[in-house]
Amino acid sequence: MSGAELIERVHALLEAPRPWSVTQVGDPVLRRTAAPYDGQLPDGLLRELLDAMFRHLPGVGVGLAAPQIGIPLALAVIEDPADVPPDIAAARERPPQPPLELVNPVVTPLGSEHRAFYEGCLSVEGMTAVVARHARVRLSALDGSGRAYDAELSGWPARIAQHETDHLKGLLYLDRADLRSLSTIANHERFVAAPQTGPAPA
């Protein structure tokens, strides 16, 4: 995709009705490695895109990667108010996560401990499955202004960071899931749901 085509696609996305229609599994953009961001968008347009991605999240999910909205760049956003009952928050190790802009992010595991929970995805509508992920990670990235940062994340925020950076590698949570646990969300709520196992679309 040429630079002009990419800019045109971002403008069209910003003008599209909300909430956006998120790209679904089967679309090739979800299986390609996203291009590193190196200034393909004018600074103002990048800022508009990241802000719009954050605005998409409330009531929908806790993270969004650019390929999920058809933009093949290594960009993502994370924000989780953790608006769940205290017992569920404790079981999931889910503190509120303030907004993070992920430009060219790299996630590095810290230690060997893993946690297994049900997980969902905005690009795999209506499904959930158990995924084991690193319990603690270091997130290294740039923000939307080009400033580098490092953050140590644990529990649910670490899961969200791993989920979103997987999207930028062309991976879906299904690639890491215990497929015997795969369930529709409706059946999960009917037969499985417990404080430690609820899905969190991202």
Side-chain angles (χ1 to χ4, degrees):
M1 181 182 300
S2 71
E5 290 172 327
L6 185 59
I7 290 171
E8 183 179 345
R9 180 173 292 187
V10 172
H11 278 299
L13 179 68
L14 293 174
E15 294 168 3
R18 307 293 175 83
W20 287 326
S21 177
V22 175
T23 303
Q24 292 300 301
V25 61
D27 189 312
V29 72
L30 293 174
R31 290 309 195 173
R32 298 186 186 120
T33 300
Y37 183 76
D38 61 3
Q40 293 96 327
L41 305 177
D43 290 346
L45 188 58
L46 174 62
R47 178 78 272 144
E48 285 186 62
L49 175 60
L50 293 172
D51 288 347
M53 290 169 71
F54 278 120
R55 288 196 300 272
H56 179 81
L57 292 181
V60 175
V62 294
L64 185 67
Q68 292 181 277
I69 47 175
I71 307 298
L73 296 175
L75 308 170
V77 298
I78 289 172
E79 183 176 16
D80 182 13
D83 187 16
V84 295
D87 58 334
I88 294 178
R92 296 180 183 174
E93 300 173 89
R94 186 176 177 179
Q97 174 57 56
L100 284 177
E101 299 170 350
L102 283 63
V103 178
N104 299 335
V106 175
V107 165
T108 305
L110 297 175
S112 59
E113 194 172 4
H114 287 70
R115 296 281 192 275
F117 291 100
Y118 274 88
E119 193 169 312
C121 181
L122 299 178
S123 291
V124 188
E125 287 184 349
M127 304 299 291
T128 184
V130 172
V131 183
R133 293 198 185 269
H134 295 283
R136 296 176 55 243
V137 300
R138 176 178 293 109
L139 170 64
S140 302
L142 304 175
D143 66 16
S145 299
R147 293 184 292 261
Y149 70 89
D150 289 291
E152 289 193 12
L153 304 175
S154 62
W156 213 255
R159 176 173 297 274
I160 300 167
Q162 291 170 84
H163 181 113
E164 299 308 328
T165 54
D166 271 356
H167 274 302
L168 306 180
K169 302 171 190 173
L171 296 172
L172 297 172
Y173 84 93
L174 295 174
D175 300 319
R176 302 187 185 278
D178 172 4
L179 292 182
R180 286 183 61 85
S181 70
L182 186 65
S183 171
T184 64
I185 289 175
N187 276 340
H188 174 271
E189 292 174 351
R190 181 181 178 191
F191 297 114
V192 182
Q196 69 272 20
T197 57

